[in-house]
Amino acid sequence: MITKTLHKYSIELLSPLHIGSGEESDAFNCAIVNNELICIDENRVLEKCTGEDREKLLSRAKTPGLYSKALGRIASKLEKEHAGTIRYRMALGSGAGNLFHDSSGKITGSFPAVHQFIRSANQPYLPATSFKGALRTALLYNKAVESGPVSSFNDRKFQAETLRYQVERGGRKVPDFSRDPLSAVYIIDGDPISEEQMVLEPVVVLTKKSGHWNEKNFFIPLEAARTGTVIIISLEIIEKKLPMKLGEADFATAARRFTGDIITKEMDFARGDHNLEKFYSNLKTIHDNLQSNQFLLRLGWASGYDAMSMNLARKTREEKISRRVIREGHIPLGWVHVTSHKQ
């Protein structure tokens, strides 16, 4: 009989989260209508629209902004009779409308590509791989801090030795991934995120060099889950004969140390930017008051080099001079508060 330990995690977003699908929306499949982004089934529109509407749409194909405006108007009309013409819609974050309009509020000729959130059956969700990958990095970091600085996060030998799945074969030490302790950990994708919890946010690149701040003069529009969204995810630990066994407490302990060190580093970087300083000061307060079954993590796109690697545990750290943040308020992306509930 297989013995399982089941945990439910409630993941509350402390800042907007973007998990990219690798795809982008553009003027030929999305539009801004009534202060919302609508993603459109363009083939369905071209199939169903006729006459003057079709002529107007095709005549504007060389001017993306105007094409998108016509596409949005026609799709909104067709949706009343042909459900599914509009695939999904979401609100615009503060300042997002300025990416598609000029100062007078008119649609511009250009239309920036929008980074799409990962979806399944047309619904956004948090993939288990994103959560499990962050836990793995935290575990490795924790072990590295205990054993001493490492040379590289991508050192397969270090990972195999640290998590004790290295074996000797043919006189050589090689990794045996079937012995990886995380092979006994199964995580189920999070429940779908509702469209009401999604928002289109403009992201900017901040750089800091010699104490001087600079905001790059271009924007990255992306679909994000809103701050305050709560996602439930399930984790199963299956009893297996492995050299190293992991429990929920191991994840929580490792994540608290890892994110605590990241916060310390980011507070130093944020010095001089009021909004960033305030965000990380509040985050440190949350971190310092975590319960034993709680921890912080940083997930997804723009979560930063330190959160995705063991840079802070290396003998020689790489110092990054830029950060991607939400334009309004300079909010970092991807910070989450995790609470474990044993079943």
Side-chain angles (χ1 to χ4, degrees), residues 204-209 213-214 216 266 269 304-305 319-325:
V204 295
V205 178
L206 286 180
T207 61
K208 184 182 183 183
K209 198 169 184 180
W213 289 93
N214 179 49
K216 297 292 185 181
E266 291 303 292
F269 179 85
Y305 183 60
E319 300 296 333
K320 302 297 181 181
I321 64 169
S322 65
R323 300 291 189 274
R324 293 174 177 175
V325 297

Side-chain angles (χ1 to χ4, degrees), residues 241-255:
K241 290 184 178 180
L242 295 170
M244 176 186 287
K245 294 183 180 181
L246 297 172
E248 189 278 331
D250 297 302
F251 297 130
T253 300

Side-chain angles (χ1 to χ4, degrees), residues 2 6 27 39 61 107 128 132 173 176-177 185 211-212 215 243 245 249 262 265 287 289 296 313 315 325 337:
I2 298 176
L6 177 64
C39 189
I107 293 283
K132 188 173 182 178
K173 290 184 177 180
D176 180 352
F177 296 104
V185 178
H212 298 288
E215 183 178 303
K245 294 183 180 181
I262 293 172
K265 173 74 178 298
H287 182 271
N289 289 280
L296 302 183
K315 296 174 183 176
V325 297
H337 180 283

Side-chain angles (χ1 to χ4, degrees), residues 87-106:
R87 293 177 51 231
Y88 59 85
R89 60 180 75 229
M90 69 183 65
L92 303 186
S94 181
N98 296 334
L99 302 179
F100 307 93
H101 303 87
D102 61 22
S103 58
S104 66
K106 293 182 180 179

Side-chain angles (χ1 to χ4, degrees), residues 2 21 33 66 85-86 91 101 165 204 223 231 292 309 337 342:
I2 298 176
S21 67
V33 178
L66 297 179
T85 302
I86 296 176
H101 303 87
Y165 58 86
V204 295
E223 300 174 1
I231 302 167
S292 61
S309 72
H337 180 283
K342 187 174 180 179

Side-chain angles (χ1 to χ4, degrees), residues 37-54:
L37 172 76
I38 61 172
C39 189
I40 299 162
D41 185 338
E42 187 200 12
N43 291 330
R44 191 172 181 83
V45 171
L46 292 173
E47 176 190 342
K48 298 297 181 182
C49 79
T50 58
E52 185 178 347
D53 280 342
R54 186 180 182 85

